[in-house]
Amino acid sequence: MTYAVGMRLNRGLVFMSDTRTNAGVDNISTFKKMFNWTVEGERSITLLAAGNLATTQATVSLLEERTKAPEDRSPSILEAPTMFQVAQRIAETLKDVIEKHSRSGQEADSSFHATLILGGQIKGGPSRLFLIYPEGNFIEAGDDTPFFQIGETKYGRPILVRAYDAKMSFPETVKLLLVSFDSTIKANLSVGAPLDLLLYEEDSLTSGTRSRFEVDDGYFRTISEGWSDALKSALSKLPDYNVTPDSSD
Protein backbone atom coordinates (compact mmCIF):
# COMPACT_ATOMS: atom_id res chain seq x y z
CA MET A 1 0.00 0.00 0.00
CA THR A 2 0.99 3.63 -0.37
CA TYR A 3 0.17 7.03 1.03
CA ALA A 4 0.80 10.11 -1.09
CA VAL A 5 -0.49 13.69 -1.08
CA GLY A 6 -0.43 16.51 -3.60
CA MET A 7 -1.49 19.93 -2.32
CA ARG A 8 -2.22 23.36 -3.82
CA LEU A 9 -1.16 26.48 -1.94
CA ASN A 10 -1.10 30.14 -2.85
CA ARG A 11 2.67 29.80 -2.86
CA GLY A 12 2.80 26.76 -5.15
CA LEU A 13 2.52 22.97 -4.96
CA VAL A 14 3.62 20.48 -2.32
CA PHE A 15 4.05 16.73 -2.81
CA MET A 16 4.83 13.97 -0.32
CA SER A 17 4.86 10.20 -0.65
CA ASP A 18 6.01 7.20 1.32
CA THR A 19 8.26 4.52 -0.22
CA ARG A 20 6.94 1.26 1.19
CA THR A 21 5.48 -1.23 -1.28
CA ASN A 22 5.34 -4.45 0.73
CA ALA A 23 5.12 -5.09 4.43
CA GLY A 24 5.24 -8.06 6.75
CA VAL A 25 7.06 -9.33 9.78
CA ASP A 26 10.30 -9.81 7.84
CA ASN A 27 9.52 -8.50 4.35
CA ILE A 28 9.64 -4.77 3.69
CA SER A 29 10.43 -3.32 0.27
CA THR A 30 11.21 0.28 -0.65
CA PHE A 31 10.53 1.89 -4.03
CA LYS A 32 10.36 5.51 -5.11
CA LYS A 33 6.81 6.68 -5.85
CA MET A 34 7.57 10.31 -6.72
CA PHE A 35 8.84 11.27 -10.19
CA ASN A 36 9.75 14.62 -11.72
CA TRP A 37 10.48 15.89 -15.23
CA THR A 38 11.81 19.42 -15.57
CA VAL A 39 12.89 21.68 -18.42
CA GLU A 40 14.37 24.61 -16.52
CA GLY A 41 12.53 27.85 -17.23
CA GLU A 42 9.88 26.06 -19.34
CA ARG A 43 8.08 23.39 -17.32
CA SER A 44 8.11 21.26 -14.18
CA ILE A 45 6.00 18.10 -13.88
CA THR A 46 5.68 15.88 -10.81
CA LEU A 47 3.90 12.53 -10.56
CA LEU A 48 2.93 10.49 -7.49
CA ALA A 49 1.89 6.85 -7.91
CA ALA A 50 -0.12 4.36 -5.88
CA GLY A 51 -1.33 0.89 -6.76
CA ASN A 52 0.14 -2.10 -8.54
CA LEU A 53 3.92 -1.65 -8.69
CA ALA A 54 4.30 -3.26 -12.12
CA THR A 55 1.63 -0.93 -13.53
CA THR A 56 3.12 2.24 -12.08
CA GLN A 57 6.66 1.31 -13.12
CA ALA A 58 5.55 0.48 -16.67
CA THR A 59 3.64 3.76 -16.90
CA VAL A 60 6.56 5.83 -15.63
CA SER A 61 9.00 3.97 -17.89
CA LEU A 62 6.89 4.75 -20.96
CA LEU A 63 6.64 8.41 -20.00
CA GLU A 64 10.40 8.51 -19.38
CA GLU A 65 11.26 6.88 -22.72
CA ARG A 66 9.15 9.43 -24.59
CA THR A 67 11.16 12.30 -23.09
CA LYS A 68 14.59 11.12 -24.25
CA ALA A 69 14.97 11.18 -28.04
CA PRO A 70 13.03 13.60 -30.30
CA GLU A 71 11.88 10.75 -32.55
CA ASP A 72 10.36 8.97 -29.54
CA ARG A 73 8.46 11.97 -28.19
CA SER A 74 5.04 11.11 -29.52
CA PRO A 75 3.18 11.71 -27.36
CA SER A 76 5.63 13.28 -24.88
CA ILE A 77 4.72 15.17 -21.73
CA LEU A 78 7.63 17.49 -22.49
CA GLU A 79 5.94 18.66 -25.67
CA ALA A 80 2.37 19.02 -24.41
CA PRO A 81 1.45 22.74 -24.49
CA THR A 82 -0.66 22.72 -21.31
CA MET A 83 -0.85 20.80 -18.03
CA PHE A 84 -4.33 19.65 -19.03
CA GLN A 85 -2.86 17.94 -22.08
CA VAL A 86 -0.10 16.45 -19.92
CA ALA A 87 -2.83 14.96 -17.75
CA GLN A 88 -4.56 13.57 -20.84
CA ARG A 89 -1.39 11.90 -22.10
CA ILE A 90 -0.52 10.37 -18.74
CA ALA A 91 -4.10 9.16 -18.25
CA GLU A 92 -4.08 7.51 -21.67
CA THR A 93 -0.74 5.85 -20.94
CA LEU A 94 -1.97 4.49 -17.61
CA LYS A 95 -5.16 3.14 -19.17
CA ASP A 96 -3.20 1.47 -21.99
CA VAL A 97 -0.82 -0.22 -19.53
CA ILE A 98 -3.70 -1.58 -17.45
CA GLU A 99 -5.52 -2.86 -20.53
CA LYS A 100 -2.35 -4.55 -21.80
CA HIS A 101 -1.87 -6.33 -18.48
CA SER A 102 -5.50 -7.45 -18.35
CA ARG A 103 -5.27 -8.87 -21.90
CA SER A 104 -2.29 -11.00 -20.92
CA GLY A 105 -4.64 -13.63 -19.50
CA GLN A 106 -3.59 -13.16 -15.90
CA GLU A 107 -5.94 -12.09 -13.09
CA ALA A 108 -8.77 -9.54 -13.26
CA ASP A 109 -7.70 -6.13 -14.47
CA SER A 110 -8.49 -4.66 -11.04
CA SER A 111 -5.28 -6.36 -9.84
CA PHE A 112 -3.30 -4.02 -12.08
CA HIS A 113 -5.03 -0.78 -11.12
CA ALA A 114 -3.08 2.32 -10.14
CA THR A 115 -3.97 5.90 -9.28
CA LEU A 116 -1.79 8.93 -9.91
CA ILE A 117 -1.46 12.50 -8.67
CA LEU A 118 -0.07 14.89 -11.28
CA GLY A 119 1.01 18.44 -10.62
CA GLY A 120 3.18 21.07 -12.22
CA GLN A 121 3.39 24.17 -14.32
CA ILE A 122 4.15 25.03 -17.94
CA LYS A 123 5.36 28.49 -18.90
CA GLY A 124 2.47 30.77 -19.76
CA GLY A 125 -0.02 29.05 -17.44
CA PRO A 126 -0.60 28.58 -13.70
CA SER A 127 0.40 25.54 -11.69
CA ARG A 128 -2.27 22.82 -11.76
CA LEU A 129 -2.98 19.62 -9.84
CA PHE A 130 -4.84 16.52 -11.08
CA LEU A 131 -6.01 13.16 -9.76
CA ILE A 132 -5.82 10.46 -12.46
CA TYR A 133 -7.93 7.32 -12.14
CA PRO A 134 -7.08 3.86 -13.56
CA GLU A 135 -9.99 4.14 -16.00
CA GLY A 136 -8.11 6.94 -17.77
CA ASN A 137 -10.24 9.86 -16.56
CA PHE A 138 -9.13 12.59 -14.16
CA ILE A 139 -10.26 15.56 -12.09
CA GLU A 140 -8.54 18.83 -11.25
CA ALA A 141 -7.99 20.39 -7.85
CA GLY A 142 -9.79 23.65 -7.13
CA ASP A 143 -10.81 25.86 -4.25
CA ASP A 144 -13.25 23.25 -2.92
CA THR A 145 -10.79 20.36 -3.36
CA PRO A 146 -7.32 21.86 -2.85
CA PHE A 147 -5.47 18.60 -2.22
CA PHE A 148 -5.54 14.98 -3.36
CA GLN A 149 -4.59 11.78 -1.54
CA ILE A 150 -3.98 8.33 -2.96
CA GLY A 151 -3.36 4.96 -1.36
CA GLU A 152 -4.11 4.55 2.34
CA THR A 153 -5.88 7.87 2.79
CA LYS A 154 -8.33 7.51 5.65
CA TYR A 155 -5.98 7.88 8.63
CA GLY A 156 -4.28 11.08 7.49
CA ARG A 157 -7.24 12.83 5.89
CA PRO A 158 -8.95 14.25 9.03
CA ILE A 159 -5.78 16.13 9.93
CA LEU A 160 -5.51 17.72 6.48
CA VAL A 161 -9.20 18.64 6.38
CA ARG A 162 -9.04 20.36 9.78
CA ALA A 163 -5.76 22.24 9.38
CA TYR A 164 -5.25 23.00 5.68
CA ASP A 165 -5.08 26.67 4.68
CA ALA A 166 -4.14 27.87 1.19
CA LYS A 167 -2.15 30.71 2.77
CA MET A 168 0.15 28.31 4.67
CA SER A 169 3.90 28.67 4.23
CA PHE A 170 5.99 25.77 2.99
CA PRO A 171 7.42 25.05 6.48
CA GLU A 172 3.90 24.98 7.96
CA THR A 173 2.71 22.68 5.20
CA VAL A 174 5.59 20.24 5.69
CA LYS A 175 4.74 20.07 9.38
CA LEU A 176 1.08 19.39 8.56
CA LEU A 177 1.94 16.66 6.08
CA LEU A 178 4.37 14.96 8.46
CA VAL A 179 1.63 14.79 11.09
CA SER A 180 -0.72 13.29 8.51
CA PHE A 181 1.87 10.72 7.43
CA ASP A 182 2.85 9.92 11.01
CA SER A 183 -0.78 9.17 11.88
CA THR A 184 -1.06 6.91 8.83
CA ILE A 185 2.20 5.08 9.56
CA LYS A 186 1.15 4.39 13.15
CA ALA A 187 -2.21 2.99 12.01
CA ASN A 188 -1.08 0.95 9.00
CA LEU A 189 2.00 -1.22 8.65
CA SER A 190 1.86 -1.00 4.84
CA VAL A 191 2.86 2.69 4.89
CA GLY A 192 6.33 3.70 6.02
CA ALA A 193 9.39 5.90 5.74
CA PRO A 194 11.50 7.07 4.00
CA LEU A 195 9.16 9.89 2.99
CA ASP A 196 9.88 11.92 -0.13
CA LEU A 197 9.02 15.64 -0.26
CA LEU A 198 8.98 18.12 -3.14
CA LEU A 199 8.19 21.83 -2.79
CA TYR A 200 7.41 23.72 -5.99
CA GLU A 201 7.38 27.53 -5.91
CA GLU A 202 4.79 29.11 -8.22
CA ASP A 203 6.31 30.43 -11.48
CA SER A 204 9.79 29.11 -10.62
CA LEU A 205 9.71 26.53 -13.46
CA THR A 206 12.41 24.49 -11.71
CA SER A 207 12.50 20.98 -10.29
CA GLY A 208 11.73 22.44 -6.87
CA THR A 209 13.20 21.71 -3.46
CA ARG A 210 13.44 18.03 -2.58
CA SER A 211 13.97 16.29 0.75
CA ARG A 212 13.77 12.77 2.15
CA PHE A 213 12.80 11.92 5.72
CA GLU A 214 14.37 8.67 6.86
CA VAL A 215 12.96 6.54 9.68
CA ASP A 216 15.38 8.05 12.20
CA ASP A 217 15.16 11.65 10.91
CA GLY A 218 15.43 14.00 13.89
CA TYR A 219 12.81 16.50 12.75
CA PHE A 220 10.31 13.77 11.84
CA ARG A 221 10.76 12.19 15.29
CA THR A 222 10.26 15.58 16.94
CA ILE A 223 7.00 16.11 15.03
CA SER A 224 5.80 12.58 15.80
CA GLU A 225 6.51 12.80 19.52
CA GLY A 226 5.26 16.38 19.77
CA TRP A 227 1.97 15.53 18.06
CA SER A 228 1.45 12.53 20.36
CA ASP A 229 2.12 14.66 23.45
CA ALA A 230 -0.15 17.44 22.17
CA LEU A 231 -3.04 15.01 21.62
CA LYS A 232 -2.68 13.61 25.12
CA SER A 233 -2.56 17.11 26.57
CA ALA A 234 -5.61 18.26 24.59
CA LEU A 235 -7.58 15.17 25.65
CA SER A 236 -6.77 15.71 29.31
CA LYS A 237 -8.09 19.30 29.10
CA LEU A 238 -11.49 18.28 27.74
CA PRO A 239 -14.29 17.95 30.33
CA ASP A 240 -14.82 14.47 31.75
CA TYR A 241 -18.03 12.60 31.09
CA ASN A 242 -20.26 12.48 34.17
CA VAL A 243 -20.98 8.82 34.83
CA THR A 244 -24.06 8.40 37.04
CA PRO A 245 -25.59 5.11 38.21
CA ASP A 246 -28.55 3.91 36.16
CA SER A 247 -31.52 3.92 38.51
CA SER A 248 -33.24 1.23 36.46
CA ASP A 249 -30.60 -1.39 37.41
Side-chain angles (χ1 to χ4, degrees), residues 130-146:
F130 301 89
L131 177 63
I132 301 175
Y133 297 103
E135 293 79 11
N137 53 349
F138 55 89
I139 59 174
E140 183 173 2
D143 293 339
D144 294 330
T145 309

Side-chain angles (χ1 to χ4, degrees), residues 5-8 12-15 34-38 43-49 77 82-84 86-87 90 116-122 126-132 139-141 148 198-200 202 206-207:
V5 180
M7 184 173 287
R8 278 185 52 191
L13 301 173
V14 179
F15 306 90
M34 180 185 295
F35 309 91
N36 179 267
W37 296 268
T38 299
R43 70 182 60 205
S44 180
I45 299 168
T46 299
L47 192 70
L48 306 179
I77 58 176
T82 66
M83 281 302 301
F84 182 85
V86 171
I90 293 179
L116 309 173
I117 293 175
L118 165 69
Q121 185 176 20
I122 295 175
S127 63
R128 301 174 74 174
L129 186 68
F130 301 89
L131 177 63
I132 301 175
I139 59 174
E140 183 173 2
F148 291 130
L198 191 151
L199 306 173
Y200 175 76
E202 187 76 14
T206 66
S207 58

Side-chain angles (χ1 to χ4, degrees), residues 29-44:
S29 301
T30 298
F31 281 91
K32 183 175 69 170
K33 304 171 189 176
M34 180 185 295
F35 309 91
N36 179 267
W37 296 268
T38 299
V39 178
E40 295 284 334
E42 198 272 329
R43 70 182 60 205
S44 180

Side-chain angles (χ1 to χ4, degrees), residues 14-219:
V14 179
F15 306 90
M16 184 175 280
S17 66
D18 84 319
T19 54
R20 183 169 293 181
T21 59
N22 193 18
V25 176
D26 58 357
N27 184 13
I28 297 176
S29 301
T30 298
F31 281 91
K32 183 175 69 170
K33 304 171 189 176
M34 180 185 295
F35 309 91
N36 179 267
W37 296 268
T38 299
V39 178
E40 295 284 334
E42 198 272 329
R43 70 182 60 205
S44 180
I45 299 168
T46 299
L47 192 70
L48 306 179
N52 181 273
L53 183 60
T55 298
T56 59
Q57 287 193 335
T59 301
V60 171
S61 294
L62 282 170
L63 296 172
E64 182 67 26
E65 283 299 311
R66 293 168 183 168
T67 66
K68 292 181 178 178
E71 61 270 19
D72 296 328
R73 290 187 177 183
S74 181
S76 171
I77 58 176
L78 295 186
E79 291 189 339
T82 66
M83 281 302 301
F84 182 85
Q85 292 190 36
V86 171
Q88 284 183 317
R89 294 182 182 186
I90 293 179
E92 290 167 0
T93 303
L94 175 62
K95 183 180 179 182
D96 289 346
V97 168
I98 293 174
E99 289 179 349
K100 181 178 179 180
H101 285 171
S102 64
R103 289 196 302 267
S104 66
Q106 300 182 40
E107 298 179 9
D109 63 348
S110 60
S111 300
F112 304 107
H113 278 189
T115 308
L116 309 173
I117 293 175
L118 165 69
Q121 185 176 20
I122 295 175
K123 188 175 182 179
S127 63
R128 301 174 74 174
L129 186 68
F130 301 89
L131 177 63
I132 301 175
Y133 297 103
E135 293 79 11
N137 53 349
F138 55 89
I139 59 174
E140 183 173 2
D143 293 339
D144 294 330
T145 309
F147 61 84
F148 291 130
Q149 303 168 276
I150 53 177
E152 190 58 75
T153 63
K154 56 184 176 291
Y155 302 108
R157 182 172 180 78
I159 295 164
L160 300 182
V161 170
R162 285 177 177 269
Y164 168 84
D165 188 330
K167 298 187 292 293
M168 295 176 75
S169 67
F170 279 162
E172 290 173 324
T173 306
V174 173
K175 181 167 56 177
L176 171 62
L177 286 174
L178 286 178
V179 170
S180 179
F181 273 75
D182 179 63
S183 299
T184 304
I185 290 170
K186 281 183 166 54
N188 194 309
L189 182 65
S190 67
V191 177
L195 307 177
D196 288 329
L197 169 72
L198 191 151
L199 306 173
Y200 175 76
E201 188 90 37
E202 187 76 14
D203 295 327
S204 65
L205 298 173
T206 66
S207 58
T209 302
R210 307 189 203 190
S211 303
R212 169 167 280 199
F213 297 91
E214 300 288 348
V215 177
D216 57 353
D217 182 87
Y219 180 68

